[in-house]
């Protein structure tokens, strides 16, 4: 079963699942919104069912949100239609198939995705290439290697079974290093707690 097929299988349940830590999620949204203006162009990869893209939509001129799961995108498009949102373009697309934009974006989002990728640095470079000089990248990453115990040792087996998506167990230091290796400058990073995702605000050089 392909990775896209696995996420297609999860799509309906994912859409119904409540946000596990609303306080942290809202803090991430508000921090991102501080870098947006009504003229901003926003790019989001691995957008899932579109919740984050739709929240930011009223604050910007345009959002391009992509995911390789067509079931996720179908749900996102229905949510946009129900909400009357017309400035979000939801696209079925793998990250490595994302074309270079005709007009650079101001802000890019990589939320809950870097720990699912074999080469996070390559993806961050691709996002940086899509941004204007001085543009911002926001990411939120589960640092599985920091959890300790049996979890990191089980990860390769879980990916091999294809019962769950493939996971890339990283430490917080490795996630930060991936951003820096992509040429991004870390502006801020924080976690709500020891087992929480690492949120990073980074900037492309001017």
């Amino acid at each position: 079963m392909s990775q896209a097929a696995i996420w297609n299988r999860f799509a309906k349940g994912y859409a119904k699942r409540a946000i596990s830590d609303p306080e942290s999620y809202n803090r991430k949204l508000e921090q991102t919104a501080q870098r947006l203006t009504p003229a901003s162009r926003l790019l989001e990869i691995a957008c899932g069912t579109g919740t984050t893209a739709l929240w930011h939509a009223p604050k910007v001129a345009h959002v391009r949100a992509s995911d390789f799961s067509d079931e996720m995108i179908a749900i996102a498009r229905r949510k946009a239609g129900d909400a009357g949102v017309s400035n979000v373009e939801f696209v079925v697309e793998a990250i490595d198939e994302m074309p270079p934009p005709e007009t650079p974006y101001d802000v890019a989002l990589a939320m809950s995705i870097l720990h699912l990728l074999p080469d996070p640095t390559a993806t961050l470079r691709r996002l940086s290439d899509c941004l204007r000089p001085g543009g911002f990248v926001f990411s939120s990453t589960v640092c599985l290697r920091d959890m300790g115990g049996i979890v990191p040792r089980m990860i390769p087996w879980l990916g091999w079974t294809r019962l769950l998506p493939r996971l890339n167990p990283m430490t917080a230091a490795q996630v930060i290093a991936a951003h820096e290796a992509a040429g991004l400058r870390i502006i801020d990073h924080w976690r709500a707690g020891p087992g929480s995702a690492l949120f990073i605000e980074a900037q492309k050089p001017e």
Side-chain angles (χ1 to χ4, degrees):
M1 183 181 295
S2 70
Q3 294 296 296
I6 290 173
W7 284 105
N8 280 340
R9 189 180 66 196
F10 292 159
K12 289 183 180 179
Y14 184 89
K16 295 176 182 178
R17 190 174 65 192
I19 295 169
S20 59
D21 185 353
E23 183 177 351
S24 293
Y25 179 68
N26 289 332
R27 179 180 170 185
K28 293 170 187 178
L29 293 175
E30 294 294 345
Q31 186 166 340
T32 304
Q34 291 177 13
R35 300 296 184 181
L36 300 173
T37 72
S40 292
R41 287 169 47 81
L42 175 65
L43 172 67
E44 182 178 9
I45 59 170
C47 68
T49 58
T51 300
T52 301
L54 292 171
W55 189 92
H56 288 301
K59 299 171 175 55
V60 300
H62 177 73
V63 182
R64 187 182 195 275
S66 65
D67 199 290
F68 69 175
S69 166
D70 56 342
E71 291 291 338
M72 293 278 193
I73 292 298
I75 293 170
R77 288 171 176 166
R78 287 198 295 272
K79 287 164 66 173
D82 291 345
V85 175
S86 60
N87 66 332
V88 180
E89 175 189 10
F90 285 112
V91 182
V92 179
E93 180 178 78
I95 293 168
D96 56 4
E97 296 173 352
M98 183 171 60
E102 294 182 5
T103 303
Y105 292 92
D106 301 288
V107 175
L109 305 181
M111 310 302 285
S112 300
I113 181 58
L114 297 182
H115 55 274
L116 299 174
L117 302 175
D119 190 348
T121 298
T123 295
L124 289 166
R125 286 196 186 107
R126 185 178 290 271
L127 286 180
S128 180
D129 289 344
C130 292
L131 291 175
R132 62 168 173 80
F136 297 91
V137 174
F138 292 88
S139 67
S140 183
T141 308
V142 178
C143 302
L144 294 162
R145 188 67 69 183
D146 287 341
M147 291 182 179
I150 195 173
V151 173
R153 293 196 295 274
M154 290 183 63
I155 288 167
W157 180 83
L158 290 171
W160 178 79
T161 65
R162 298 189 178 182
L163 295 173
L164 294 175
R166 286 193 299 266
L167 299 171
N168 181 357
M170 296 183 290
T171 64
Q174 288 173 322
V175 176
I176 291 171
H179 285 73
E180 293 173 339
L184 297 167
R185 180 174 66 90
I186 304 295
I187 294 175
D188 186 26
H189 63 87
W190 55 270
R191 301 164 90 168
S196 300
L198 175 69
F199 185 71
I200 292 178
E201 178 182 355
Q203 186 175 27
K204 179 177 180 175
E206 295 279 358

